[in-house]
Amino acid sequence: QKFLIWYVISILYYRKVKGGNIDVHPSEKALIVQYEVEATILGEMGDPMLGERKECQKIIRLKSLNANTDITSLARKVVEECKLIHPSKLNEVEQLLYYLQNRRDSLSGKDPKLFIVFQTTINKIANINDMDEYIELLYEDIPDKVRGSALILQLARNPDNLEELLLNETALGALARVLREDWKQSVELATNIIYIFFCFSSFSQFHGLITHYKIGALCMNIIDHELKRHELWQEELSKKKKADILLDCLLDEDPENQTVRKDYEKTFKKYQGLVVKQEQLLRVALYLLLNLAEDTRTELKMRNKNIVHMLVKALDRDNFELLILVVSFLKKLSIFMENKNDMVEMDIVEKLVKMIPCEHEDLLNITLRLLLNLSFDTGLRNKMVQVGLLPKLTALLGNDNYKQIAMCVLYHISMDDRFKSMFAYTDCIPQLMKMLFECSDERIDLELISFCINLAANKRNVQLICEGNGLKMLMKRALKFKDPLLMKMIRNISQHDGPTKNLFIDYVGDLAAQISNDEEEEFVIECLGTLANLTIPDLDWELVLKEYKLVPYLKDKLKPGLC
């Protein structure tokens, strides 16, 4: 026994820890510290008997980090409390913290971005050196395949790893095979693998890789299948909901009926969980296709596989992030007539009307841009009016974020004479007049003045425009800045018979005074056109022509060959 004690004491254990690189966590507000542990067992004479070296990682989560955090103080605290970080790396830690503080959530920008769509419950941080281990997991059962794909996904989300992953044909081939064979068995597995290929699709130079493994065609099959599955879920839920409503009407407390109610509640909860996972899968698959659609030839292949019909179907969802992506894709496709015609067949305007307005700023913005593309079609403009978009778009004129794009859609609608009068029953015209009078530039925005010119072609609209001092203010501005487009609007106002035409008597002299070779020709033409519209019985034209010497000017302009 004494000998055993002496032997144990004489064996020494030597452990050495060496600090390594520091990096930011890909998705959390945290730092990842790489370090190396070297363990050595020494004999009684101090000679190393057995040694082992292991690479490790430590995650430092920074829960208190926000926009107001003092980065210098936090960096100092991190270095002091973490013995793995040498004090000489204080500046590096500070820079990384500053990056984390200013790193935006990828959905906060104007363009729809894809954040991590499925967080698999694993605590391990992936290491590029362990790829062989992750590939082996892809040959095991479904849970191991999910784990292996999740670890590879961690690596793929870092762009620095993509080139190295690209060279690993074994891994990419295994991922493509697993997706092709097992996507129906696990939504989580399919989501992880498609997300890995999505990471490659973010860079055009890797699109050939995705085409090689036919991931795009597989994604379209998956999307089509998932949309049909969703329809079946809804049908099943609808049947059980009707049975539940019937029981409520009967006020029946029979135990068997209570079972029916519980069955509905259970089905509804299951449905909600399935929809969440399915929408994550749809998002990453659609985003991959959107990236591949940079090539118009690839986009044409997608159209031939009914991508437009799938996207319009997906508009029935309630998930904002998914809808942003779907509408963005539709906006891109809508510039081609064939795709636009497919959208018409699917009654796209009826599906978009529910998003105007909506509480999600990005979704509203991209939906308006899609509507603008569609509004070039006469039939779709008609549909927009039928479904009640006119007052909804008019309400957005008061919001600076959407004013310009909403005005462009309304301008297109105002091009049709049958819709011009409908603007009189909204608060559109008072808002436009306010914009006109508040404009500080000499020339009014082209969209605004063009819209006003169209509306001034309708008699009822003109009555609203001229209310109060409307005509007086317009004349004052037009004469001050010699604006030919504003004068064109006034010319349109002057063409309507009735009380508004008599208002021009006070401005006949001002208009006639503009008729000269010294003024811009376009402006003079509009002034002449306005005067020509003033068929007022009490107006003494002989006096006007003499006083402003208009006859010589008109004779000069009417000479043959001068027009």
Side-chain angles (χ1 to χ4, degrees):
Q1 187 178 4
K2 288 182 180 180
F3 173 77
L4 181 60
I5 293 171
W6 172 83
Y7 181 75
V8 171
I9 292 173
S10 65
I11 298 177
L12 297 175
Y13 177 77
Y14 178 73
R15 183 173 180 268
K16 181 180 178 182
V17 179
K18 183 181 178 182
N21 294 330
I22 310 170
D23 203 351
V24 296
H25 194 282
S27 59
E28 298 180 24
K29 286 188 176 180
L31 295 176
I32 300 175
V33 182
Q34 310 276 357
Y35 66 96
E36 188 178 88
V37 177
E38 184 178 344
T40 307
I41 297 177
L42 304 177
E44 62 175 297
M45 303 302 295
D47 299 324
M49 294 175 58
L50 184 65
E52 185 181 0
R53 180 178 297 175
K54 186 179 181 182
E55 291 184 351
C56 303
Q57 292 177 328
K58 178 179 176 64
I59 299 178
I60 304 173
R61 288 183 169 80
L62 308 159
K63 296 180 180 179
S64 62
L65 180 62
N66 56 50
N68 301 317
T69 302
D70 183 348
I71 295 299
T72 304
S73 300
L74 181 59
R76 194 178 299 115
K77 183 179 179 182
V78 168
V79 173
E80 287 174 358
E81 294 185 2
C82 182
K83 303 304 179 184
L84 297 171
I85 303 176
H86 194 272
S88 63
K89 293 194 173 185
L90 177 62
N91 289 336
E92 183 182 348
V93 172
E94 191 171 331
Q95 289 297 320
L96 292 172
L97 292 176
Y98 179 77
Y99 169 77
L100 280 174
Q101 186 183 45
N102 291 277
R103 182 170 68 179
R104 298 189 334 172
D105 180 3
S106 55
L107 276 172
S108 62
K110 289 294 178 186
D111 296 324
K113 303 292 182 185
L114 191 72
F115 69 101
I116 187 162
V117 294
F118 209 104
Q119 184 66 51
T120 307
T121 53
I122 56 172
N123 298 320
K124 186 175 180 179
I125 300 296
N127 190 318
I128 194 74
N129 298 320
D130 297 331
M131 272 298 296
D132 290 342
E133 177 188 330
Y134 308 152
I135 294 170
E136 287 178 12
L137 291 172
L138 297 177
Y139 292 89
E140 303 298 333
D141 55 13
I142 295 298
D144 285 333
K145 287 177 180 178
V146 171
R147 179 177 173 79
S149 62
L151 289 164
I152 297 173
L153 173 57
Q154 277 191 36
L155 298 173
R157 291 184 67 243
N158 182 350
D160 295 337
N161 293 327
L162 290 179
E163 289 191 352
E164 189 166 345
L165 290 172
L166 181 68
L167 299 175
N168 197 328
E169 293 183 10
T170 304
L172 296 174
L175 287 166
R177 176 188 58 79
V178 171
L179 180 63
R180 192 163 46 250
E181 296 176 358
D182 298 328
W183 65 266
K184 287 185 180 179
Q185 297 187 46
S186 170
V187 173
E188 188 174 351
L189 177 62
T191 303
N192 285 343
I193 296 177
I194 294 174
Y195 197 168
I196 292 167
F197 285 103
F198 160 76
C199 294
F200 284 101
S201 76
S202 300
F203 302 91
S204 300
Q205 62 266 37
F206 297 138
H207 285 187
L209 161 78
I210 299 166
T211 304
H212 172 72
Y213 288 107
K214 299 181 179 179
I215 301 300
L218 188 52
C219 281
M220 292 204 65
N221 291 337
I222 292 172
I223 292 168
D224 186 43
H225 176 82
E226 292 299 329
L227 290 174
K228 288 175 181 175
R229 273 217 305 170
H230 184 256
E231 289 177 359
L232 292 174
W233 294 344
Q234 285 188 315
E235 285 177 16
E236 181 186 353
L237 190 65
S238 178
K239 289 177 183 176
K240 294 190 176 183
K241 186 176 182 180
K242 286 178 181 177
D244 185 54
I245 292 172
L246 183 60
L247 290 175
D248 284 341
C249 294
L250 295 173
L251 299 174
D252 195 341
E253 298 297 331
D254 187 277
E256 186 177 339
N257 293 334
Q258 291 300 315
T259 304
V260 173
R261 183 172 289 111
K262 288 180 181 178
D263 183 43
Y264 166 71
E265 293 173 356
K266 183 180 178 181
T267 304
F268 182 68
K269 287 181 180 179
K270 181 182 177 183
Y271 166 79
Q272 287 180 313
L274 290 171
V275 165
V276 169
K277 289 185 178 182
Q278 188 188 66
E279 287 177 343
Q280 290 169 336
L281 173 58
L282 289 174
R283 286 184 60 210
V284 70
L286 285 170
Y287 212 138
L288 183 146
L289 293 175
L290 178 58
N291 287 341
L292 294 182
E294 288 178 2
D295 186 340
T296 52
R297 292 170 299 179
T298 304
E299 185 179 302
L300 180 59
K301 290 178 183 178
M302 293 181 193
R303 181 190 175 268
N304 293 337
K305 287 181 174 285
N306 280 332
I307 185 65
V308 174
H309 288 72
M310 295 180 197
L311 290 168
V312 177
K313 270 187 182 180
L315 288 174
D316 294 328
R317 302 298 184 113
D318 297 319
N319 182 289
F320 282 131
E321 286 76 19
L322 176 61
L323 287 172
I324 289 171
L325 184 55
V326 169
V327 177
S328 299
F329 208 154
L330 286 167
K331 183 179 81 72
K332 182 183 187 304
L333 295 170
S334 65
I335 62 175
F336 293 101
M337 183 178 293
E338 296 82 2
N339 295 332
K340 183 264 296 179
N341 292 339
D342 287 346
M343 295 177 199
V344 172
E345 290 178 12
M346 294 291 290
D347 296 324
I348 188 171
V349 174
E350 285 90 332
K351 292 179 180 288
L352 292 176
V353 69
K354 70 175 184 179
M355 303 176 200
I356 309 291
C358 74
E359 60 187 35
H360 199 292
E361 185 177 317
D362 290 340
L363 178 58
L364 179 54
N365 182 52
I366 200 70
T367 303
L368 287 171
R369 294 181 183 280
L370 171 57
L371 283 171
L372 177 59
N373 285 0
L374 298 175
S375 67
F376 284 89
D377 182 274
T378 306
L380 287 173
R381 289 200 297 269
N382 182 33
K383 187 69 71 175
M384 289 177 195
V385 175
Q386 286 179 9
V387 299
L389 267 176
L390 193 61
K392 290 187 172 189
L393 291 168
T394 299
L396 293 175
L397 291 175
N399 189 317
D400 289 337
N401 294 327
Y402 314 114
K403 177 172 67 177
Q404 200 70 16
I405 189 75
M407 189 182 299
C408 290
V409 180
L410 289 169
Y411 164 72
H412 281 166
I413 294 173
S414 71
M415 290 165 59
D416 296 320
D417 289 337
R418 54 189 168 155
F419 300 141
K420 284 185 173 74
S421 62
M422 301 181 77
F423 286 89
Y425 302 99
T426 70
D427 64 343
C428 180
I429 291 172
Q431 290 191 71
L432 294 178
M433 295 298 287
K434 186 173 183 286
M435 291 179 204
L436 280 176
F437 299 144
E438 290 179 351
C439 182
S440 57
D441 299 330
E442 285 191 18
R443 289 293 183 261
I444 299 165
D445 289 340
L446 191 59
E447 293 84 1
L448 173 58
I449 190 60
S450 301
F451 188 17
C452 291
I453 289 169
N454 282 353
L455 294 182
N458 176 266
K459 186 174 182 178
R460 175 61 186 141
N461 292 338
V462 164
Q463 292 172 354
L464 294 174
I465 290 170
C466 294
E467 276 185 355
N469 292 323
L471 181 60
K472 179 180 178 181
M473 299 289 287
L474 289 173
M475 286 296 303
K476 183 178 179 181
R477 182 182 175 91
L479 295 172
K480 179 181 178 181
F481 294 115
K482 312 293 183 184
D483 187 341
L485 289 178
L486 185 55
M487 188 54 71
K488 183 184 286 291
M489 177 186 174
I490 293 171
R491 179 180 177 180
N492 277 1
I493 293 172
S494 68
Q495 70 183 330
H496 302 288
D497 294 328
T500 53
K501 184 167 285 192
N502 293 325
L503 295 174
F504 280 88
I505 290 178
D506 295 336
Y507 306 106
V508 171
D510 293 322
L511 291 166
Q514 309 304 313
I515 314 302
S516 72
N517 290 318
D518 298 332
E519 299 293 348
E520 184 183 347
E521 188 175 49
E522 285 185 30
F523 180 70
V524 173
I525 289 171
E526 298 304 332
C527 291
L528 270 172
T530 304
L531 287 171
N533 286 332
L534 302 183
T535 53
I536 304 172
D538 297 335
L539 187 57
D540 189 345
W541 279 110
E542 182 181 359
L543 181 62
V544 173
L545 291 170
K546 286 181 179 179
E547 185 173 343
Y548 293 97
K549 300 176 183 178
L550 295 183
V551 174
Y553 175 86
L554 295 173
K555 286 175 66 178
D556 185 57
K557 292 297 179 183
L558 291 174
K559 285 180 182 178
L562 290 181
C563 293

